[in-house]
Amino acid sequence: MTSPAVTPTCGEGELRDLLRALMTTIGDKWTLAVVATMTVGEQRFTAILHSVDGISHRMLTKTLRGLEDDGLVSRTFHAEVPPRVEYALTPLGLTLLEPLAGLSRWVEHHGPAVLEHRATRQHQEIS
Amino acid sequence: MTSPAVTPTCGEGELRDLLRALMTTIGDKWTLAVVATMTVGEQRFTAILHSVDGISHRMLTKTLRGLEDDGLVSRTFHAEVPPRVEYALTPLGLTLLEPLAGLSRWVEHHGPAVLEHRATRQHQEIS
DNA sequence: CAGAATCCGCGTGGATACTG
DNA sequence: CAGTATCCACGCGGATTCTG
């Protein structure tokens, strides 16, 4: 058959463009890991820094800025000494977890198959 | 509350790592658009090239290579003159459309809200 | 403790030209 | 028509340093 019955929601270029814009955001190197870490609740900067493991100081700041700009994460600054900043998923951010879980399930089921395909690539890599 | 009830599937670092690896793939600049285009059925190289609009010759090749390596897209080469190559989503590739549609729905509902947040960013950009 | 600023290497992606 | 190869610019991301 030349026309599969599967027709996902994306039909117009507008939506596809917006979709890709957000995918680029959450698909970047650290955003996903940070969001995953924050599902456990409000976290301090250094707590996230240590949880994510591998993320640099600077990248965590940038990632959180991005999430904050998107309205997915709230930032609460406590002007104490020493200063304390708490981050948490906003209601909007929480809604993202559902489709994200769907993707996660797909990875659980088909991820290994993808990796096998990558390993046994047909067009062998040049010597 | 400090511990939301939402606990997505991702709990272990293993899965989160794999998830991010695949997110990076499908979240890259063109993969999503190409997959979306290919939901309509088997396509020739140039057909996709014109459908995606904005993608360069070279990037389409690389993107298709990636999808092929992942086993999401099949490549059929017809040794004729002129040569003809047809690409189609594999069964595995088709399974990806479901979670992708979930994400697409999220973007439909909450995407505009995200864009508004981006526009009215709290920490004003320095003059 | 949180984060802004600087420097820099590297990968990505665009334009172009060449092959089969 | 489909794909590869080369060149090059830009932005991401790491390491480091400095401030409140």
Side-chain angles (χ1 to χ4, degrees), chain A residues 106 110-111 113-118 121-122, chain B residues 21-22 25-26 31 64-73 90 92-93:
Chain A
W106 185 86
H110 305 286
V114 170
L115 291 188
E116 284 185 30
H117 266 277
R118 286 190 187 180
R121 46 179 70 192
Q122 296 78 0
Chain B
L22 298 181
T25 297
I26 68 167
T31 300
L64 287 171
R65 276 273 179 273
L67 287 169
E68 196 191 345
D69 285 347
D70 288 358
L72 302 175
V73 157
T90 63
L92 181 59

Side-chain angles (χ1 to χ4, degrees), chain B residues 50-89:
Chain B
H50 294 137
S51 292
V52 173
D53 177 74
I55 193 172
S56 74
H57 191 142
R58 173 175 169 270
M59 272 300 106
L60 180 55
T61 300
K62 290 190 70 175
T63 303
L64 287 171
R65 276 273 179 273
L67 287 169
E68 196 191 345
D69 285 347
D70 288 358
L72 302 175
V73 157
S74 65
R75 177 179 180 273
T76 313
F77 180 86
H78 302 269
E80 312 165 354
V81 274
R84 195 182 70 214
V85 183
E86 310 238 56
Y87 291 92
L89 289 175

Side-chain angles (χ1 to χ4, degrees), chain A residues 37 85 98 101:
Chain A
T37 296
V85 182
E98 299 176 30

